[in-house]
Amino acid sequence: MPMLKFLHSRPILLLAFAFAVMADPVSSVAYAIEAALRALDGDLTLLIPAMSAVVLIIALVVVNYQQLIARYPRGGGASAATGEAFGEGWAFLPIGALIVDFVLTIAISVAAGASAIIAYVPALAPDRIILAAGLTILVGGATWFGHLGRIAFAAMTMAFIAVTTVVLLYGTAAEPQAGTSLSVSGNAGHGAVLAVLLAFPVAMALATGVEAPSSAIAQLGQLDDRGRHQFGKVTLWLTLGIVGTLTMGLTVEARLLNIGIPPEDSTQIAELARHCSPGTVFAAFQLVTALLLLSAASSSFQAGPGLLKALARTSHGTGILPAPLGRTNIHHTPYWGVVIFTVISVAATVAAGGHDQTLVLYYAVSVFLSFLAGLVAMAYFSYHEHNRGHLILNGTGVIVVFFVLVINLGRGYPVVSLVATVLVAAVLWRLWIKAGRPRGIREVEAMAEATSGQSDEPPV
């Protein structure tokens, strides 16, 4: 029984929670670095400063969200802060952003998973769309049987970290790749700075999921407010440390080993692993990469329908979405929500041709809109509480996040994500008005996490 007691101890709970929650940002390493390189037109000399900027901005978001967790130790994230600061109706903006983000997380994670498989088995390249769509349906279908659980997600994350570390160690002894172009665009001085400023926002997909601890702490019902605050804070900083280390490690080695934009049937990190590690390590790396990406998709397949379920039953008993979205099966899965997310995610994946590097252009917009709403709310609180230090920090966060959002929207097509977010928010707001403005809307994000895997009605 000592072993059983150990497995239920607080340190093990923290590790399981932290590594499960960080699965999304860690998995983003698989495509974010390549996205930055493509935005730089393959200029490896600027890749390190571009990814350094990404990590620094993630650090700024983490510092700000640490304050948010301290204010809402029972969960709620940006929707709780926005709803409290400006009224419950405004909570729909981050909620809408979250729903769009879940769809894009599923689509890009599955597409990137397909890319990882194709990089190992290039013969599957002609069937990329079928493979990606099939994986989406497979992961969505698996959700029918309930939650995979924190331990499994944590194991996937740790496996990826471990194998990536091995690849990085092999890379320290590898010779630069010959026969590829170390693209230097001729940028110098102000031109180089401008190129980095215009390119790094594309790689801010790496920041998605960073906000997850602020809402996921609602799952920790066995802890008091202080315990949830501590778990959330540790998870935020652990995520920053691991994601930052992996990102910069892979970026620096790509630069030193001259691993540029990959062939059509591969990915940049796959080419790095193929070049510097033995075949067995390369195979293991592709396997854990694909599994982690599919785990990230599975996590959103659980969280998205869970949020719809919470909107169908607010904490005060009056839902704004149709009751069927709150129904669950014998495995406590809100199955109609899963169907909706499956259909929309397959459509997004097919529209992008199954290419994660196409989807990544749309990815950071919705999550940064949620960041912006949360940080503006925190700045509002800091101003009214006369906390100048926090106000400066929150204000800096607002400016930087707004800059990233504007640069990404300036590319044109990503405006689709903004329009989708606003439309979802507007529809939910309208339904809320028709339902008589039921209270508790700003709490639905925390409610969705707190009731994760639970059912309060007879299953069908």
Side-chain angles (χ1 to χ4, degrees):
M1 298 313 248
M3 177 59 71
L4 185 61
K5 184 177 180 180
F6 171 73
L7 291 175
H8 287 83
S9 66
R10 194 180 180 100
I12 294 300
L13 176 63
L14 173 58
L15 287 175
F17 174 78
F19 281 92
V21 169
M22 73 173 70
D24 190 359
V26 171
S27 69
S28 301
V29 173
Y31 45 81
I33 302 172
E34 182 180 331
L37 184 61
R38 289 179 181 275
L40 290 166
D41 294 324
D43 193 339
L44 281 167
T45 63
L46 299 180
L47 185 60
I48 293 177
M51 295 313 298
S52 296
V54 170
V55 173
L56 286 174
I57 292 176
I58 293 176
L60 179 62
V61 172
V62 164
V63 172
N64 278 278
Y65 265 74
Q66 179 179 272
Q67 293 178 29
L68 196 149
I69 286 176
R71 192 177 189 93
Y72 302 101
R74 298 186 182 183
S79 61
T82 306
E84 181 182 348
F86 308 114
E88 284 211 308
W90 283 99
F92 288 113
L93 186 59
I95 289 172
L98 199 60
I99 290 173
V100 173
D101 185 57
F102 286 145
V103 170
L104 290 175
T105 295
I106 293 169
I108 195 171
S109 296
V110 171
S115 293
I117 295 171
I118 291 170
Y120 190 72
V121 187
L124 294 175
D127 301 314
R128 178 185 293 274
I129 294 178
I130 296 174
L131 177 61
L135 287 173
T136 306
I137 295 171
L138 178 65
V139 175
T143 309
W144 175 271
F145 299 100
H147 296 280
L148 186 58
R150 280 199 295 260
I151 295 294
F153 285 131
M156 299 291 185
T157 305
M158 288 187 281
F160 177 80
I161 294 169
V163 179
T164 302
T165 301
V166 173
V167 169
L168 289 173
L169 290 174
Y170 272 108
T172 60
E175 294 293 326
Q177 184 170 253
T180 60
S181 59
L182 177 57
S183 175
V184 180
S185 63
N187 287 309
H190 296 302
V193 173
L194 182 60
V196 170
L197 288 176
L198 294 176
F200 84 83
V202 176
M204 289 309 308
L206 196 68
T208 190
V210 169
E211 84 293 348
S214 67
S215 56
I217 51 175
Q219 300 173 11
L220 302 170
Q222 65 271 57
L223 302 179
D224 57 15
D225 286 357
R226 182 180 179 183
R228 285 192 288 267
H229 176 208
Q230 290 176 338
F231 270 47
K233 184 171 71 172
V234 170
T235 300
L236 277 174
W237 287 107
L238 194 58
T239 299
L240 174 62
I242 290 174
V243 172
T245 300
L246 292 180
T247 297
M248 295 314 300
L250 290 167
T251 299
V252 170
E253 287 206 348
R255 170 65 178 87
L256 294 176
L257 299 178
N258 194 20
I259 308 296
I261 295 176
E264 180 70 17
D265 59 356
S266 190
T267 68
Q268 188 192 26
I269 63 169
E271 290 306 296
L272 175 62
R274 193 197 312 270
H275 172 71
C276 67
S277 57
T280 53
V281 174
F282 172 62
F285 181 71
Q286 294 307 107
L287 175 63
V288 296
T289 299
L291 289 177
L292 178 61
L293 287 161
L294 295 181
S295 295
S298 178
S299 179
S300 288
F301 258 123
Q302 294 167 11
L307 182 58
L308 298 185
K309 173 186 170 183
L311 287 166
R313 323 168 182 168
T314 68
S315 59
H316 294 270
T318 304
I320 66 171
L321 289 182
L325 290 175
R327 295 175 185 166
T328 59
N329 63 12
I330 59 173
H331 303 289
H332 312 303
T333 300
Y335 49 89
W336 281 116
V338 172
V339 170
I340 290 172
F341 273 88
T342 300
V343 171
I344 298 175
S345 298
V346 167
T349 303
V350 171
H355 289 282
D356 52 288
Q357 290 301 315
T358 299
L359 287 163
V360 76
L361 299 174
Y362 301 84
Y363 195 29
V365 171
S366 55
V367 72
F368 267 75
L369 191 60
S370 180
F371 286 163
L372 185 62
L375 294 182
V376 169
M378 294 305 294
Y380 174 89
F381 295 138
S382 297
Y383 174 77
H384 284 277
E385 293 165 3
H386 305 290
N387 191 325
R388 182 174 296 180
H390 283 179
L391 180 58
I392 292 173
L393 182 62
N394 302 147
T396 302
V398 168
I399 293 171
V400 172
V401 167
F402 182 74
F403 172 80
V404 172
L405 190 58
V406 168
I407 293 298
N408 275 330
L409 290 174
R411 297 177 186 279
Y413 292 121
V415 76
V416 172
S417 296
L418 177 63
V419 172
T421 295
V422 172
L423 283 177
V424 171
V427 168
L428 292 175
W429 178 80
R430 182 60 182 165
L431 291 173
W432 177 63
I433 296 295
K434 290 181 66 176
R437 301 174 184 257
R439 297 175 57 194
I441 291 301
R442 68 186 181 89
E443 302 166 3
V444 295
E445 193 175 339
M447 179 183 168
E449 295 287 353
T451 60
S452 179
Q454 300 176 10
S455 174
D456 53 9
E457 67 172 59
V460 296

